[in-house]
Amino acid sequence: MQRPLMFLPGPVCVPEEVLAAMATPMIDHRGPAFAKLLGRITEKIRPIFGTKHEVLFLGSSGTGGLEAAVTSTFSPGQKVLSCPIGVFGRRLAAIARAFGLEVETVACEDGAVVDPRVLAARLVADRKREIAGIFLTDTEASTGARQDMAALARAIGDHPATTIVDSVSGFGAQAFRMDEWGFDIVVTSSQKVLALSPGVAAIAVSPRAWQRIAVATGPRFALDLHRARKFSMSGETPWTPPISLNFALDVALERYHAEGAPSVWERYERNAEAIHAFAAAAGLTPFSAPGAHAVTVTALCTPAGIVAGNVLDDLRIRHGVIFGSGQEELKGKMFRVGTMGAITPEGLIEALDRFEAVLINHGHPAVRGSGAAAARSVLERRGLCIREENFVA
């Protein structure tokens, strides 16, 4: 079966080696083999978080991991400071409201990022220390924006609020230093940079966060980090885990470390630069603000007179290329090009070339081949030799 050229912000194309790992015969999730598996993936994922502390795994999406972080850490009525930069940041705030927390928001336009000075000023003004939690998004997949997490950490300073970071769409694509930056809980999931199927959330928890979790009274059951921690100490999970996905995660993490984190980061930067070069040559505008472009997903504004849904349908049906659309209120306003998963330089150039052709067919005044040529030039300048033949990932 020929795969489409899939450049979604997630889920992503899964490498064959990782897919094959999911066919590993089943094991007892209460036995020693699973305990060893859990130990391996824990040790392999810690350095990607930039932590020496505990990491827990839940059978859930990233949203489930974020709900676990919120409900396990806070009590109804506590105030949290939400710093959303798009749809997923607002979703984290919605989780907090659903479980009885008082949510204050640091306003930020979609496509922009939080101004560390604004965050710092708000926390300085919190003289009574009423803010119990701070919610941050590392990379916002709905807008293609990436934040300077080190700068935000400095803005928080010594404020005692528990900081929860949604790193679902950025985790692994750039350096992350959870311990150095002083973040309390960081959440990611399997279907992004780690490049396997959806279904596993990984949650890193600091010692200070465990102190908060010990006294929190928020309602939770299946997504209870305290319960998950108790079972993890004996190499188990509270409930039946997605065993096949854990086998795949073991292989995915091994692949990540075999490539080496700096090489992974360079690859994502290179691909993002190529897409931005394509956009400039093809007359497209990034949705994210200058200086805040993500490396895992690039959001490109829909040109005037173009119907985004028609372009995406044409691209998928006639050309076998799958890009993402805008979400919620951003639907129709953008195309989202993800670079996570089993993609190649040739596949990226092919997808962009077909995208440009479809845009022109729908009335966009680009010069045929100019965008793909610009992207190819970036990749070749960064040391890659791009094969001429068409490639399907």
Side-chain angles (χ1 to χ4, degrees):
M1 177 181 177
Q2 189 180 60
R3 292 187 184 183
L5 288 162
M6 190 165 80
F7 290 83
L8 291 174
V12 302
C13 288
V14 180
E16 293 293 343
E17 185 180 358
V18 178
L19 286 172
M22 287 192 279
T24 303
M26 204 55 54
I27 58 175
D28 176 12
H29 67 297
R30 303 294 182 203
F34 183 78
K36 290 180 181 178
L37 173 62
L38 196 60
R40 286 198 305 273
I41 62 177
T42 300
E43 290 306 310
K44 290 175 184 177
I45 205 169
R46 274 196 182 114
I48 309 177
F49 277 106
T51 187
K52 296 180 179 179
H53 302 307
E54 292 172 86
V55 178
L56 303 175
F57 299 91
L58 301 179
S60 74
S61 65
T63 301
L66 291 166
E67 180 173 315
V70 171
T71 59
S72 299
T73 308
F74 302 106
S75 303
Q78 286 188 302
K79 176 185 282 190
V80 295
L81 186 65
S82 173
C83 305
I85 58 171
V87 170
F88 292 103
R90 291 191 288 273
R91 179 183 295 180
L92 180 53
I95 292 170
R97 291 190 186 96
F99 286 91
L101 301 185
E102 178 187 345
V103 179
E104 179 183 333
T105 301
V106 173
C108 183
E109 292 185 4
D110 285 341
V113 292
V114 175
D115 186 336
R117 295 169 298 181
V118 173
L119 176 59
R122 177 63 189 93
L123 295 175
V124 167
D126 183 34
R127 294 184 178 85
K128 294 182 179 179
R129 295 299 193 247
E130 295 175 334
I131 297 172
I134 302 168
F135 296 169
L136 301 174
T137 308
D138 171 4
T139 295
E140 177 56 66
S142 71
T143 65
R146 175 177 66 168
Q147 305 214 79
D148 184 340
M149 301 306 293
L152 293 175
R154 289 192 295 270
I156 293 169
D158 60 359
H159 194 286
T162 303
T163 305
I164 295 178
V165 179
D166 172 355
S167 190
V168 171
S169 294
F171 179 81
Q174 57 254 329
F176 198 93
R177 301 183 177 92
M178 175 181 172
D179 293 354
E180 178 182 329
W181 294 337
F183 295 136
D184 293 295
I185 301 179
V186 182
V187 180
T188 193
S189 61
S190 55
Q191 78 279 10
K192 302 281 187 171
V193 171
L194 296 180
L196 62 147
S197 301
V200 177
I203 305 153
V205 187
S206 74
R208 186 173 74 161
W210 286 120
Q211 294 174 8
R212 312 290 169 80
I213 290 169
V215 297
T217 60
R220 69 262 193 187
F221 188 77
L223 301 176
D224 182 352
L225 294 184
H226 178 74
R227 192 192 304 262
R229 184 192 199 192
K230 179 180 177 181
F231 277 81
S232 73
M233 291 176 177
S234 58
E236 299 181 31
T237 57
W239 327 111
T240 306
I243 297 171
S244 297
L245 287 178
N246 283 307
F247 279 125
L249 179 56
D250 191 26
V251 173
L253 289 167
E254 192 67 30
R255 286 171 53 90
Y256 184 96
H257 289 297
E259 182 176 356
S263 295
V264 173
W265 304 338
E266 197 278 334
R267 171 163 54 85
Y268 277 97
E269 291 171 0
R270 181 183 65 217
N271 287 341
E273 183 183 346
I275 296 171
H276 282 275
F278 163 86
L284 299 173
T285 303
F287 187 85
S288 51
H293 302 317
V295 296
T296 54
V297 53
T298 301
L300 301 174
C301 297
T302 306
I306 300 295
V307 179
N310 292 345
V311 170
L312 291 171
D313 287 345
D314 194 356
L315 193 61
R316 183 185 69 254
I317 295 168
R318 297 183 57 194
H319 298 273
V321 176
I322 302 175
F323 285 177
S325 62
Q327 294 180 293
E328 297 183 4
E329 68 274 11
L330 300 177
K331 189 173 182 62
K333 296 183 179 180
M334 66 175 67
F335 307 101
R336 293 186 300 147
V337 187
T339 54
M340 297 170 281
I343 66 170
T344 67
E346 292 81 6
L348 177 59
I349 296 298
E350 182 72 16
L352 293 174
D353 185 59
R354 297 180 192 182
F355 179 42
E356 184 179 62
V358 172
L359 284 171
I360 292 171
N361 287 341
H362 283 256
H364 182 61
V367 177
R368 183 72 176 93
S370 61
R376 178 189 293 271
S377 177
V378 168
L379 297 182
E380 291 178 343
R381 175 170 52 80
R382 306 249 335 220
L384 296 180
C385 180
I386 310 299
R387 299 194 303 268
E388 291 294 332
E389 69 270 20
N390 290 351
F391 182 88
V392 177

